[in-house]
């Protein structure tokens, strides 16, 4: 009996593995097609100054538009992209598209910072930061309008090429910050590894604000910590007025979330604000 149950479990495990492999295979195929045929899109989410709620920046978030299967969010392809190395191509496409958009806004007299997510795997490739530095040089002043969001993982695994890329970004005037702060190890040690300009507090810390005194205390401490290091703080996933009020009281600088606007096409960004 025990043996049979074990076999069943193995069979189930096998099935799950095969399903997983198929999903990944599908995802890779779809992504390669999108990269080849121009199937990637950008949506933009407003980031506001918490004091006056003015639009100060926008984060660009990648989407995959498949001609047959429809629209896919990054949750369905970023892992595959990182495993296969295709993330370098995705991030490079995103960077070029974001810089084009930034250029368009700047020539229209719109003063907006643009925030781009950069995977750790992408930063390992010197070509990415070289390309960025060149583009920024061509569009003088673009660097100071660019924010690069990296993950805790990137700082923990910090290799020599990655460190060199981060320094090249900084030399180009780009501000480098930490995304999803609080979800990883959140150790002070790696905050010292590279001079960061900003920190984004993860949505999981923002959600319980105003409903739990402990949650409030943790976020307040994170904000104080970031400010003590000279970093600007952005709260992610702000959905309610109560959360926004608490964050403002705690001295948080910026906020992003459905309360202020969902990710939208660039043309709809300004109308997206309440
Ligand atoms: P992220 O950088 O932390 O982006 C924030 C995510 O939270 C976005 O999901 C956004 O749509 C979602 N969000 C924003 N406000 C709210 C809110 O108020 N409530 C809730 N429930 N969600 C909110 P999205 O667009 O699905 O992106 C997921 C992740 O994919 C991003 O997390 C980022 O890590 C990654 N990603 C997106 N674009 C790129 C890219 O171009 N390159 C790389 N390497 N990663 C990317
Ligand atoms: Mg981000
Ligand atoms: Mg984030
Ligand atoms: Mg996140």
């Amino acid at each position: 009996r025990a043996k049979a149950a074990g076999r069943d479990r193995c069979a189930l495990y096998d099935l799950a593995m095969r399903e997983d492999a198929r999903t990944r295979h599908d995802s890779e195929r779809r992504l390669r097609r999108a990269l080849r045929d121009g199937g990637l899109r950008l949506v933009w989410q407003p980031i506001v100054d918490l004091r006056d709620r003015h639009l100060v920046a926008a984060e660009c978030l990648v989407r995959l538009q498949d001609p047959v299967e429809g629209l896919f969010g990054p949750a369905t392809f970023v892992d595959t992209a990182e495993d296969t190395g295709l993330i370098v191509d995705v991030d490079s496409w995103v960077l070029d598209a974001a810089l084009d958009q930034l250029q368009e806004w700047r020539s229209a007299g719109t003063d907006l910072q643009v925030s781009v997510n950069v995977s750790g795997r992408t930063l390992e490739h010197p070509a990415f930061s070289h390309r960025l530095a060149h583009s920024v040089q061509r569009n003088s002043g673009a660097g100071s309008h660019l924010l690069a969001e990296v993950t805790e993982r990137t700082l923990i695994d910090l290799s020599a090429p990655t460190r060199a890329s981060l320094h090249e970004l900084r030399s180009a005037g780009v501000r480098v910050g930490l995304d999803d702060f609080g979800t990883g190890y959140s150790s002070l040690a790696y905050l010292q590894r590279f001079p960061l300009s900003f920190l984004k507090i993860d949505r999981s810390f923002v959600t319980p604000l105003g409903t739990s005194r402990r949650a409030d205390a943790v976020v307040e401490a994170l904000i104080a910590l970031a400010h003590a290091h000279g970093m600007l703080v952005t709260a992610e996933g702000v959905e309610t007025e109560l959360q926004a009020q608490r964050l403002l009281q705690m001295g948080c600088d910026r906020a992003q979330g459905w309360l202020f606007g969902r990710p939208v096409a660039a043309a709809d960004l300004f109308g997206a604000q309440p």
Side-chain angles (χ1 to χ4, degrees):
R1 285 250 323 252
K3 229 174 171 178
R7 251 199 321 273
D8 282 353
R9 249 200 315 277
C10 280
L12 268 177
Y13 180 70
D14 225 48
L15 191 68
M17 289 274 285
R18 258 183 288 145
E19 283 230 333
D20 195 52
R22 203 193 47 218
T23 309
R24 283 184 170 251
H25 182 266
D26 285 350
S27 162
E28 182 179 346
R29 186 182 38 77
R30 208 182 289 121
L31 181 57
R32 286 193 188 278
R33 193 163 59 203
L35 282 163
R36 191 190 60 212
D37 301 342
L40 296 183
R41 302 278 178 273
L42 282 187
V43 286
W44 297 84
Q45 189 175 27
I47 297 174
V48 301
D49 184 321
L50 257 176
R51 280 156 305 183
D52 57 14
R53 302 198 175 186
H54 278 136
L55 186 64
V56 285
E59 177 175 5
C60 66
L61 297 157
V62 71
R63 298 290 181 263
L64 191 160
Q65 178 70 60
D66 188 90
V68 179
E69 297 171 279
L71 193 67
F72 292 86
T76 67
F77 62 87
V78 162
D79 282 353
T80 305
E82 292 195 327
D83 292 346
T84 55
L86 289 170
I87 194 69
V88 184
D89 299 303
V90 173
D91 285 347
S92 301
W93 181 87
V94 167
L95 175 71
D96 287 346
L99 282 168
D100 284 351
Q101 187 58 62
L102 174 60
Q103 193 54 32
E104 199 177 297
W105 278 326
R106 292 185 80 213
S107 40
T110 305
D111 193 34
L112 205 62
Q113 291 177 344
V114 159
S115 210
V116 178
N117 295 283
V118 189
S119 159
R121 288 219 51 187
T122 301
L123 289 167
E124 284 170 17
H125 293 255
F128 179 85
S129 56
H130 292 347
R131 179 181 183 143
L132 184 147
H134 276 120
S135 307
V136 162
Q137 235 163 34
R138 267 205 315 278
N139 307 315
S140 56
S144 63
H145 285 71
L146 207 55
L147 309 172
E149 302 185 6
V150 304
T151 62
E152 295 183 340
R153 192 78 254 164
T154 303
L155 296 184
I156 293 166
D157 297 340
L158 201 64
S159 63
T162 303
R163 183 186 286 276
S165 291
L166 290 174
H167 279 289
E168 188 163 21
L169 258 55
R170 258 174 71 91
S171 304
V174 177
R175 270 164 277 210
V176 178
L178 196 56
D179 203 354
D180 304 331
F181 187 69
T183 52
Y185 293 90
S186 308
S187 138
L188 280 178
Y190 70 76
L191 282 184
Q192 321 282 357
R193 287 190 179 175
F194 184 81
L196 296 164
S197 303
F198 65 96
L199 198 144
K200 296 184 81 169
I201 298 181
D202 192 67
R203 173 160 62 93
S204 55
F205 289 89
V206 172
T207 302
L209 283 181
T211 63
S212 140
R213 216 182 289 162
R214 216 174 130 254
D216 283 15
V218 169
V219 172
E220 194 158 21
L222 289 182
I223 293 169
L225 169 75
H227 283 164
H229 283 73
M231 294 183 269
L232 198 78
V233 186
T234 301
E236 295 187 303
V238 180
E239 295 180 352
T240 70
E241 197 53 54
L242 179 62
Q243 291 159 356
Q245 291 300 339
R246 280 288 190 280
L247 287 161
L248 179 66
Q249 286 162 2
M250 292 171 179
C252 185
D253 306 289
R254 293 178 168 187
Q256 174 178 2
W258 294 347
L259 179 66
F260 305 106
R262 302 214 177 205
V264 291
D268 300 325
L269 185 63
F270 300 92
Q273 273 208 290

